[in-house]
Amino acid sequence: MARPDINRSGEIEVFVRVVEAGSFSAAARALRMTPSAVSKLIARLEARLGARLVSRSTRKLLLTPEGAAFYESGLRILADMAAAEREAAAGAAPRGRLRVNTYVPFGVHRLIPLLPRFLERYPEISVDLVLTDSVIDLMAERADVAIRAGPLGESRLVARKLGQSPVVVVAAPSYLEPHGTPLTPADLDTHNRMGFGFVRHIDGWPFLDARGNAVMIPITGNAQVSDGEAMRLMTLAGAGISRLARWHVAADIAAGRLVPLLEDFNPGDEEATHAVYVGQGRHLPARVRAFLDFLAESVRLG
């Protein structure tokens, strides 16, 4: 536990001002402090953290890797403190800019259709939405919430499960007509199996063989795509076979635009979707809490 005489927020504010001003002397002028007082405060902060934050070997102020990470964290902390004060003064009404990063299929098919209702409910919140299937650093991107599919790695972030869905192998009739329909996982060897251009948690498609044993079919094809929605569109166009969450392609299957394949060999695994955010043991801004509660209330992936 920190000693009560340590003004952590003051230290962070001075450090952030030093970085933004580019020197101790410029920060001292802006803060109405002496350069020596600023220098001593930064040295005391480094001693307490046990890490060098800035390099003093040149006239130009340079951040160490630890300093760059602390700067990003400091910006977020100061922003959250300001938000907490504004919310307390306004009765904690959800307000301000909400930065959301989501994987593309969820954004296109689930989140965007829901956002008008969310914004109508909370007119003082504005949404900054980014769609990408690439894994991001919430702190570096200054995102409030990231929505991701699949298993979560070890992290200090907090995850709230929004739902889960079975996974299905599909192809369009326009692909199956000239290439034939695979009847066993081994038949996939002669088919175009499309994959993603980013690292996945499994390097292949899992199936059960005729004896119920687990088998993994490698992903080899002539197309890689950046996100799940692009994969869906490629599959609809007849480019090959893909493996996607059933909720993502349920409407296409119902309409006959896509055909489920090898269902007798489906191992029954499911893909979970989580909302991930920074919040363990600290104040959660009202805008973030309102958004998380809205997602839990509104999203259906089963």
Coordinates of all heavy atoms in Angstrom, one line a residue, residues 170-253:
V170 N -18.5 -24.3 -43.9 CA -19.5 -23.9 -44.9 C -18.9 -23.7 -46.2 O -17.7 -23.4 -46.3 CB -20.3 -22.7 -44.4 CG1 -21.2 -23.0 -43.3 CG2 -19.4 -21.5 -44.1
A171 N -19.7 -23.8 -47.2 CA -19.3 -23.4 -48.6 C -20.6 -23.0 -49.3 O -21.7 -23.4 -49.0 CB -18.6 -24.6 -49.3
A172 N -20.4 -22.3 -50.4 CA -21.5 -21.9 -51.2 C -21.8 -22.9 -52.3 O -21.0 -23.7 -52.7 CB -21.2 -20.6 -52.0
P173 N -23.1 -23.0 -52.7 CA -23.5 -24.0 -53.7 C -22.7 -23.8 -55.0 O -22.3 -24.7 -55.7 CB -25.0 -23.7 -54.0 CG -25.5 -23.2 -52.6 CD -24.3 -22.4 -52.1
S174 N -22.3 -22.5 -55.3 CA -21.5 -22.2 -56.5 C -20.1 -22.8 -56.4 O -19.5 -23.0 -57.5 CB -21.4 -20.7 -56.7 OG -20.8 -20.1 -55.6
Y175 N -19.6 -23.1 -55.2 CA -18.3 -23.7 -55.1 C -18.5 -25.3 -55.1 O -17.7 -26.0 -55.8 CB -17.6 -23.3 -53.8 CG -16.4 -24.2 -53.5 CD1 -15.2 -23.8 -54.1 CD2 -16.5 -25.3 -52.7 CE1 -14.0 -24.6 -53.8 CE2 -15.3 -26.1 -52.5 CZ -14.1 -25.7 -53.0 OH -13.0 -26.5 -52.8
L176 N -19.5 -25.8 -54.5 CA -19.7 -27.2 -54.4 C -20.1 -27.8 -55.7 O -19.7 -29.0 -56.0 CB -20.8 -27.5 -53.3 CG -20.4 -27.1 -51.9 CD1 -21.6 -27.3 -50.9 CD2 -19.2 -27.8 -51.4
E177 N -20.8 -27.1 -56.5 CA -21.3 -27.7 -57.8 C -20.1 -28.2 -58.7 O -20.1 -29.3 -59.1 CB -22.2 -26.7 -58.5 CG -23.6 -26.6 -57.9 CD -24.3 -25.4 -58.5 OE1 -23.9 -24.8 -59.4 OE2 -25.4 -25.1 -57.9
P178 N -19.1 -27.4 -58.9 CA -18.0 -27.8 -59.7 C -17.0 -28.7 -59.0 O -16.2 -29.4 -59.6 CB -17.4 -26.5 -60.3 CG -17.7 -25.5 -59.2 CD -19.0 -25.9 -58.6
H179 N -16.9 -28.5 -57.6 CA -15.8 -29.2 -56.9 C -16.3 -30.4 -56.1 O -15.4 -31.2 -55.6 CB -15.1 -28.2 -55.9 CG -14.5 -27.1 -56.6 ND1 -15.1 -25.9 -56.9 CD2 -13.2 -27.0 -57.1 CE1 -14.3 -25.0 -57.5 NE2 -13.1 -25.7 -57.7
G180 N -17.6 -30.6 -56.0 CA -18.1 -31.7 -55.2 C -18.2 -31.4 -53.7 O -17.6 -30.4 -53.2
T181 N -19.0 -32.2 -53.0 CA -19.2 -32.0 -51.6 C -18.3 -33.0 -50.8 O -18.4 -34.2 -51.0 CB -20.6 -32.2 -51.2 OG1 -21.4 -31.2 -51.9 CG2 -20.9 -32.0 -49.7
P182 N -17.4 -32.5 -49.9 CA -16.7 -33.4 -49.0 C -17.6 -34.2 -48.1 O -18.4 -33.6 -47.4 CB -15.7 -32.5 -48.3 CG -16.4 -31.1 -48.3 CD -17.2 -31.1 -49.6
L183 N -17.3 -35.5 -48.0 CA -18.2 -36.3 -47.1 C -17.5 -36.7 -45.8 O -18.1 -37.1 -44.9 CB -18.6 -37.6 -47.9 CG -19.4 -37.3 -49.2 CD1 -19.8 -38.6 -49.9 CD2 -20.7 -36.5 -48.9
T184 N -16.1 -36.6 -45.8 CA -15.3 -36.9 -44.6 C -14.3 -35.8 -44.5 O -13.9 -35.2 -45.5 CB -14.7 -38.3 -44.7 OG1 -13.6 -38.3 -45.7 CG2 -15.7 -39.4 -45.0
P185 N -13.7 -35.7 -43.3 CA -12.6 -34.7 -43.2 C -11.5 -34.9 -44.2 O -10.8 -34.0 -44.7 CB -12.2 -34.8 -41.8 CG -13.4 -35.3 -41.0 CD -14.1 -36.2 -42.0
A186 N -11.2 -36.2 -44.5 CA -10.1 -36.5 -45.4 C -10.3 -36.0 -46.8 O -9.4 -35.7 -47.5 CB -9.8 -38.0 -45.4
D187 N -11.6 -35.9 -47.2 CA -12.0 -35.3 -48.5 C -11.5 -33.9 -48.7 O -11.4 -33.4 -49.8 CB -13.5 -35.4 -48.7 CG -13.9 -36.9 -48.8 OD1 -13.1 -37.8 -49.1 OD2 -15.1 -37.1 -48.6
L188 N -11.3 -33.2 -47.6 CA -10.9 -31.8 -47.6 C -9.5 -31.6 -48.3 O -9.2 -30.5 -48.7 CB -10.9 -31.1 -46.3 CG -12.3 -30.9 -45.6 CD1 -12.1 -30.5 -44.2 CD2 -13.1 -29.9 -46.4
D189 N -8.8 -32.7 -48.4 CA -7.4 -32.6 -49.0 C -7.5 -32.0 -50.5 O -6.6 -31.4 -51.0 CB -6.7 -33.9 -49.0 CG -6.2 -34.3 -47.6 OD1 -6.2 -33.4 -46.8 OD2 -5.9 -35.5 -47.4
T190 N -8.6 -32.3 -51.1 CA -8.8 -31.9 -52.5 C -9.6 -30.6 -52.7 O -9.9 -30.2 -53.8 CB -9.5 -33.0 -53.3 OG1 -10.8 -33.2 -52.8 CG2 -8.7 -34.3 -53.3
H191 N -9.8 -29.9 -51.5 CA -10.6 -28.7 -51.6 C -9.8 -27.4 -51.1 O -8.8 -27.6 -50.4 CB -11.8 -28.8 -50.7 CG -12.9 -29.7 -51.3 ND1 -13.9 -29.2 -52.1 CD2 -13.1 -31.0 -51.2 CE1 -14.7 -30.2 -52.5 NE2 -14.2 -31.3 -51.9
N192 N -10.3 -26.3 -51.5 CA -9.6 -25.0 -51.2 C -10.1 -24.6 -49.8 O -11.3 -24.2 -49.6 CB -9.9 -23.9 -52.2 CG -9.1 -22.7 -52.0 OD1 -7.9 -22.8 -51.7 ND2 -9.6 -21.6 -52.3
R193 N -9.2 -24.7 -48.8 CA -9.6 -24.3 -47.4 C -9.0 -22.9 -47.1 O -7.8 -22.8 -46.9 CB -9.1 -25.4 -46.4 CG -9.6 -26.8 -46.9 CD -9.2 -27.8 -45.9 NE -7.8 -28.1 -45.7 CZ -7.0 -28.8 -46.6 NH1 -7.5 -29.3 -47.7 NH2 -5.7 -29.0 -46.3
M194 N -9.9 -21.9 -47.0 CA -9.4 -20.6 -46.8 C -9.1 -20.2 -45.4 O -9.8 -20.7 -44.5 CB -10.5 -19.6 -47.4 CG -10.8 -19.8 -48.8 SD -11.9 -18.5 -49.5 CE -13.4 -19.0 -48.6
G195 N -8.1 -19.4 -45.2 CA -7.6 -19.1 -43.8 C -7.5 -17.6 -43.6 O -7.8 -16.8 -44.5
F196 N -7.1 -17.2 -42.4 CA -6.9 -15.8 -42.0 C -5.4 -15.4 -42.1 O -4.5 -16.3 -41.9 CB -7.4 -15.6 -40.6 CG -8.9 -15.8 -40.5 CD1 -9.5 -17.0 -40.1 CD2 -9.8 -14.7 -40.9 CE1 -10.9 -17.1 -40.0 CE2 -11.2 -14.9 -40.8 CZ -11.7 -16.0 -40.4
G197 N -5.2 -14.2 -42.3 CA -3.9 -13.6 -42.5 C -3.2 -13.3 -41.1 O -2.1 -12.9 -41.1
F198 N -4.0 -13.5 -40.0 CA -3.4 -13.2 -38.7 C -3.3 -14.5 -37.9 O -3.9 -15.5 -38.3 CB -4.3 -12.2 -37.9 CG -5.7 -12.5 -37.9 CD1 -6.2 -13.4 -36.9 CD2 -6.6 -12.1 -38.8 CE1 -7.5 -13.7 -36.8 CE2 -8.0 -12.4 -38.7 CZ -8.4 -13.2 -37.7
V199 N -2.5 -14.5 -36.8 CA -2.3 -15.7 -36.0 C -3.6 -16.1 -35.3 O -4.3 -15.2 -34.7 CB -1.2 -15.4 -35.0 CG1 -1.0 -16.6 -34.1 CG2 0.1 -15.1 -35.7
R200 N -3.9 -17.3 -35.4 CA -5.1 -17.9 -34.7 C -4.7 -18.7 -33.6 O -3.5 -19.2 -33.5 CB -5.9 -18.7 -35.7 CG -6.4 -18.0 -36.9 CD -7.6 -17.1 -36.6 NE -8.8 -17.9 -36.5 CZ -10.0 -17.5 -36.2 NH1 -10.2 -16.2 -36.0 NH2 -11.1 -18.3 -36.1
H201 N -5.6 -19.0 -32.7 CA -5.2 -19.8 -31.5 C -5.1 -21.3 -31.8 O -4.5 -22.1 -31.1 CB -6.3 -19.7 -30.4 CG -7.6 -20.1 -30.8 ND1 -8.5 -19.4 -31.5 CD2 -8.3 -21.3 -30.5 CE1 -9.6 -20.0 -31.7 NE2 -9.5 -21.2 -31.1
I202 N -5.6 -21.7 -33.0 CA -5.4 -23.1 -33.4 C -5.0 -23.1 -34.9 O -5.4 -22.3 -35.7 CB -6.7 -24.0 -33.3 CG1 -7.9 -23.3 -34.0 CG2 -7.0 -24.2 -31.9 CD1 -9.1 -24.2 -34.1
D203 N -4.0 -23.9 -35.2 CA -3.5 -23.9 -36.6 C -4.1 -25.1 -37.4 O -3.4 -26.1 -37.7 CB -1.9 -24.1 -36.5 CG -1.3 -23.9 -37.9 OD1 -2.0 -23.3 -38.8 OD2 -0.2 -24.4 -38.1
G204 N -5.4 -25.0 -37.6 CA -6.1 -26.0 -38.4 C -7.6 -26.1 -38.0 O -8.0 -25.3 -37.2
W205 N -8.3 -27.0 -38.6 CA -9.7 -27.2 -38.3 C -9.9 -28.5 -37.6 O -9.5 -29.6 -38.1 CB -10.5 -27.2 -39.6 CG -10.6 -25.9 -40.4 CD1 -10.1 -24.7 -39.9 CD2 -11.1 -25.7 -41.7 NE1 -10.3 -23.8 -40.9 CE2 -10.9 -24.4 -42.0 CE3 -11.7 -26.6 -42.6 CZ2 -11.3 -23.8 -43.2 CZ3 -12.1 -26.1 -43.8 CH2 -11.9 -24.7 -44.1
P206 N -10.5 -28.5 -36.4 CA -10.7 -29.7 -35.6 C -11.9 -30.5 -36.1 O -13.0 -29.9 -36.4 CB -10.8 -29.2 -34.2 CG -11.4 -27.9 -34.3 CD -10.9 -27.3 -35.6
F207 N -11.8 -31.8 -36.2 CA -12.9 -32.7 -36.5 C -12.8 -33.9 -35.6 O -11.8 -34.2 -34.9 CB -12.8 -33.1 -38.0 CG -13.1 -32.0 -38.9 CD1 -12.1 -31.3 -39.6 CD2 -14.5 -31.7 -39.2 CE1 -12.4 -30.3 -40.5 CE2 -14.7 -30.7 -40.1 CZ -13.7 -30.0 -40.8
L208 N -13.8 -34.8 -35.7 CA -13.8 -36.1 -35.1 C -13.8 -37.1 -36.3 O -14.5 -36.9 -37.3 CB -15.0 -36.4 -34.3 CG -15.2 -35.5 -33.0 CD1 -16.5 -35.8 -32.3 CD2 -14.0 -35.6 -32.1
D209 N -13.0 -38.1 -36.2 CA -13.0 -39.2 -37.3 C -14.1 -40.2 -37.0 O -14.9 -40.0 -36.1 CB -11.6 -39.9 -37.4 CG -11.2 -40.6 -36.1 OD1 -12.1 -40.9 -35.3 OD2 -10.0 -41.0 -35.9
A210 N -14.2 -41.2 -37.8 CA -15.3 -42.1 -37.7 C -15.3 -42.9 -36.4 O -16.4 -43.4 -36.0 CB -15.1 -43.2 -38.9
R211 N -14.2 -42.9 -35.7 CA -14.1 -43.6 -34.4 C -14.3 -42.6 -33.2 O -14.2 -43.0 -32.1 CB -12.8 -44.3 -34.2 CG -12.6 -45.5 -35.2 CD -11.2 -46.1 -35.0 NE -11.0 -47.3 -35.9 CZ -9.9 -48.0 -35.9 NH1 -9.0 -47.8 -35.0 NH2 -9.8 -49.0 -36.8
G212 N -14.5 -41.4 -33.5 CA -14.7 -40.4 -32.5 C -13.4 -39.8 -32.0 O -13.4 -39.0 -31.0
N213 N -12.3 -40.1 -32.7 CA -11.0 -39.5 -32.2 C -10.8 -38.1 -32.8 O -11.3 -37.8 -34.0 CB -9.9 -40.4 -32.7 CG -9.9 -41.7 -32.0 OD1 -10.2 -41.9 -30.8 ND2 -9.7 -42.8 -32.8
A214 N -10.2 -37.2 -32.1 CA -9.9 -35.8 -32.6 C -8.9 -35.8 -33.7 O -7.8 -36.5 -33.6 CB -9.5 -34.9 -31.5
V215 N -9.1 -35.1 -34.8 CA -8.2 -35.0 -35.8 C -8.1 -33.5 -36.2 O -9.1 -32.7 -36.0 CB -8.5 -35.8 -37.1 CG1 -8.4 -37.3 -36.8 CG2 -9.9 -35.4 -37.6
M216 N -7.0 -33.0 -36.7 CA -6.8 -31.6 -37.1 C -6.4 -31.6 -38.5 O -5.4 -32.2 -39.0 CB -5.7 -31.0 -36.2 CG -5.6 -29.5 -36.4 SD -7.0 -28.6 -35.7 CE -6.7 -28.8 -33.9
I217 N -7.2 -30.8 -39.3 CA -7.0 -30.7 -40.7 C -6.3 -29.3 -40.9 O -6.8 -28.3 -40.6 CB -8.3 -30.7 -41.5 CG1 -9.1 -32.0 -41.3 CG2 -8.0 -30.6 -43.0 CD1 -8.3 -33.3 -41.7
P218 N -5.1 -29.3 -41.5 CA -4.4 -28.1 -41.8 C -5.2 -27.2 -42.7 O -5.9 -27.6 -43.6 CB -3.1 -28.5 -42.3 CG -3.3 -29.9 -42.9 CD -4.3 -30.5 -42.0
I219 N -4.9 -25.9 -42.6 CA -5.6 -24.9 -43.5 C -4.6 -24.6 -44.6 O -3.6 -24.0 -44.4 CB -5.9 -23.6 -42.7 CG1 -6.8 -23.9 -41.5 CG2 -6.6 -22.6 -43.6 CD1 -6.9 -22.7 -40.5
T220 N -5.0 -25.1 -45.8 CA -4.1 -24.8 -47.0 C -5.1 -24.4 -48.1 O -6.0 -25.1 -48.5 CB -3.3 -26.0 -47.4 OG1 -4.2 -27.1 -47.6 CG2 -2.3 -26.4 -46.3
G221 N -4.9 -23.2 -48.6 CA -5.7 -22.7 -49.7 C -5.0 -21.6 -50.4 O -3.9 -21.2 -50.1
N222 N -5.7 -21.0 -51.4 CA -5.1 -20.0 -52.2 C -5.6 -18.6 -51.8 O -5.5 -17.6 -52.5 CB -5.3 -20.2 -53.7 CG -6.8 -20.2 -54.0 OD1 -7.7 -19.9 -53.2 ND2 -7.1 -20.7 -55.3
A223 N -6.2 -18.5 -50.6 CA -6.8 -17.2 -50.2 C -6.6 -17.1 -48.6 O -6.9 -18.0 -47.9 CB -8.2 -17.0 -50.6
Q224 N -6.1 -15.9 -48.2 CA -6.1 -15.5 -46.8 C -6.7 -14.2 -46.7 O -6.5 -13.3 -47.6 CB -4.7 -15.5 -46.3 CG -4.1 -16.8 -46.0 CD -2.7 -16.7 -45.3 OE1 -2.0 -15.7 -45.4 NE2 -2.4 -17.7 -44.5
V225 N -7.5 -14.0 -45.7 CA -8.2 -12.7 -45.5 C -7.9 -12.1 -44.1 O -7.4 -12.8 -43.2 CB -9.7 -12.9 -45.7 CG1 -10.0 -13.3 -47.1 CG2 -10.3 -13.8 -44.7
S226 N -8.3 -10.8 -44.0 CA -7.9 -10.1 -42.8 C -9.0 -10.2 -41.7 O -8.7 -9.9 -40.5 CB -7.8 -8.6 -43.1 OG -9.0 -8.1 -43.6
D227 N -10.2 -10.6 -42.0 CA -11.2 -10.6 -41.0 C -12.3 -11.6 -41.3 O -12.5 -12.0 -42.5 CB -11.8 -9.2 -40.7 CG -12.4 -8.6 -42.0 OD1 -13.6 -9.0 -42.3 OD2 -11.8 -7.8 -42.7
G228 N -13.2 -11.9 -40.3 CA -14.3 -12.9 -40.5 C -15.3 -12.5 -41.5 O -15.9 -13.3 -42.2
E229 N -15.6 -11.2 -41.6 CA -16.6 -10.7 -42.6 C -16.1 -10.9 -44.0 O -16.9 -11.3 -44.9 CB -17.1 -9.3 -42.3 CG -18.1 -8.8 -43.2 CD -19.5 -9.5 -43.1 OE1 -19.6 -10.4 -42.2 OE2 -20.4 -9.2 -43.9
A230 N -14.9 -10.5 -44.2 CA -14.3 -10.8 -45.5 C -14.3 -12.2 -45.9 O -14.5 -12.6 -47.0 CB -12.8 -10.2 -45.6
M231 N -14.0 -13.1 -44.9 CA -14.1 -14.5 -45.1 C -15.5 -15.0 -45.5 O -15.7 -15.8 -46.4 CB -13.6 -15.3 -43.9 CG -13.7 -16.8 -44.0 SD -12.4 -17.4 -45.2 CE -10.9 -17.3 -44.2
R232 N -16.5 -14.5 -44.8 CA -17.9 -14.8 -45.2 C -18.2 -14.4 -46.6 O -18.8 -15.2 -47.4 CB -18.8 -14.1 -44.2 CG -20.3 -14.1 -44.6 CD -21.2 -13.4 -43.6 NE -22.5 -13.2 -44.2 CZ -22.9 -12.2 -44.9 NH1 -22.0 -11.2 -45.1 NH2 -24.1 -12.1 -45.4
L233 N -17.8 -13.2 -47.0 CA -18.0 -12.7 -48.4 C -17.3 -13.5 -49.4 O -17.8 -13.8 -50.5 CB -17.7 -11.2 -48.5 CG -18.5 -10.3 -47.6 CD1 -18.0 -8.9 -47.7 CD2 -20.0 -10.3 -48.1
M234 N -16.1 -13.9 -49.1 CA -15.3 -14.8 -50.0 C -16.0 -16.1 -50.2 O -16.1 -16.7 -51.3 CB -13.9 -15.0 -49.5 CG -13.0 -13.8 -49.6 SD -12.3 -13.5 -51.3 CE -11.1 -14.8 -51.3
T235 N -16.5 -16.7 -49.1 CA -17.2 -17.9 -49.1 C -18.5 -17.8 -50.0 O -18.8 -18.7 -50.8 CB -17.5 -18.4 -47.7 OG1 -16.3 -18.4 -46.9 CG2 -18.0 -19.9 -47.8
L236 N -19.2 -16.8 -49.7 CA -20.5 -16.5 -50.5 C -20.2 -16.4 -52.0 O -21.0 -16.8 -52.8 CB -21.2 -15.3 -50.0 CG -21.9 -15.4 -48.7 CD1 -22.3 -14.0 -48.2 CD2 -23.1 -16.3 -48.8
A237 N -19.0 -15.9 -52.3 CA -18.6 -15.7 -53.7 C -18.2 -17.0 -54.4 O -17.9 -17.0 -55.6 CB -17.5 -14.6 -53.9
G238 N -18.1 -18.1 -53.6 CA -17.7 -19.3 -54.2 C -16.2 -19.6 -54.3 O -15.7 -20.4 -55.0
A239 N -15.4 -18.8 -53.5 CA -13.9 -19.0 -53.5 C -13.4 -20.2 -52.9 O -12.3 -20.7 -53.2 CB -13.3 -17.7 -52.9
G240 N -14.1 -20.8 -51.9 CA -13.6 -22.0 -51.2 C -14.5 -22.3 -50.0 O -15.6 -21.8 -49.9
I241 N -13.9 -23.1 -49.1 CA -14.6 -23.5 -47.9 C -14.0 -22.8 -46.7 O -12.8 -22.5 -46.7 CB -14.4 -25.0 -47.7 CG1 -15.0 -25.8 -48.9 CG2 -15.0 -25.5 -46.4 CD1 -14.7 -27.3 -48.8
S242 N -14.8 -22.4 -45.8 CA -14.4 -21.7 -44.6 C -15.0 -22.3 -43.3 O -15.9 -23.1 -43.4 CB -14.7 -20.2 -44.7 OG -16.1 -20.0 -44.7
R243 N -14.5 -21.8 -42.2 CA -15.0 -22.3 -40.9 C -15.2 -21.0 -40.1 O -14.3 -20.3 -39.7 CB -13.9 -23.2 -40.2 CG -14.4 -23.8 -38.9 CD -13.4 -24.8 -38.4 NE -13.9 -25.5 -37.2 CZ -13.6 -25.1 -35.9 NH1 -12.9 -24.0 -35.7 NH2 -14.1 -25.8 -34.9
L244 N -16.5 -20.8 -39.7 CA -16.9 -19.6 -39.1 C -17.9 -19.9 -38.0 O -18.5 -20.9 -37.9 CB -17.6 -18.6 -40.1 CG -16.7 -18.2 -41.3 CD1 -17.5 -17.6 -42.4 CD2 -15.7 -17.1 -40.8
A245 N -18.1 -18.9 -37.1 CA -19.1 -19.0 -36.0 C -20.5 -19.1 -36.7 O -20.8 -18.4 -37.6 CB -19.1 -17.8 -35.1
R246 N -21.3 -20.0 -36.1 CA -22.6 -20.3 -36.8 C -23.5 -19.0 -36.7 O -24.3 -18.8 -37.7 CB -23.3 -21.4 -36.1 CG -24.7 -21.8 -36.7 CD -25.3 -23.0 -36.1 NE -24.6 -24.3 -36.5 CZ -24.9 -24.9 -37.6 NH1 -25.9 -24.5 -38.4 NH2 -24.3 -26.0 -37.9
W247 N -23.4 -18.2 -35.6 CA -24.3 -17.0 -35.6 C -23.9 -16.1 -36.8 O -24.8 -15.4 -37.3 CB -24.1 -16.3 -34.3 CG -22.8 -15.5 -34.1 CD1 -21.7 -16.0 -33.4 CD2 -22.5 -14.2 -34.6 NE1 -20.7 -15.0 -33.5 CE2 -21.1 -14.0 -34.2 CE3 -23.1 -13.3 -35.4 CZ2 -20.5 -12.8 -34.5 CZ3 -22.5 -12.1 -35.7 CH2 -21.2 -11.9 -35.3
H248 N -22.7 -16.1 -37.2 CA -22.2 -15.2 -38.2 C -22.8 -15.6 -39.6 O -23.1 -14.7 -40.4 CB -20.7 -15.3 -38.3 CG -20.1 -14.3 -39.2 ND1 -18.7 -14.3 -39.6 CD2 -20.6 -13.2 -39.9 CE1 -18.4 -13.3 -40.4 NE2 -19.6 -12.7 -40.6
V249 N -23.1 -16.9 -39.8 CA -23.6 -17.3 -41.1 C -25.0 -18.0 -41.0 O -25.4 -18.5 -42.0 CB -22.6 -18.3 -41.8 CG1 -21.3 -17.6 -42.1 CG2 -22.3 -19.5 -40.8
A250 N -25.6 -17.8 -39.9 CA -26.9 -18.5 -39.7 C -28.0 -18.0 -40.8 O -28.7 -18.8 -41.3 CB -27.5 -18.2 -38.3
A251 N -28.0 -16.7 -41.1 CA -28.9 -16.2 -42.1 C -28.6 -16.7 -43.5 O -29.5 -17.0 -44.3 CB -28.9 -14.7 -42.0
D252 N -27.3 -16.9 -43.8 CA -26.9 -17.4 -45.1 C -27.3 -18.8 -45.2 O -27.7 -19.3 -46.3 CB -25.4 -17.2 -45.3 CG -25.0 -15.7 -45.2 OD1 -25.6 -14.9 -45.9 OD2 -24.0 -15.4 -44.5
I253 N -27.1 -19.6 -44.2 CA -27.5 -21.0 -44.2 C -29.0 -21.2 -44.4 O -29.5 -22.0 -45.2 CB -27.0 -21.7 -42.9 CG1 -25.5 -21.8 -42.9 CG2 -27.6 -23.1 -42.8 CD1 -24.9 -22.3 -41.6

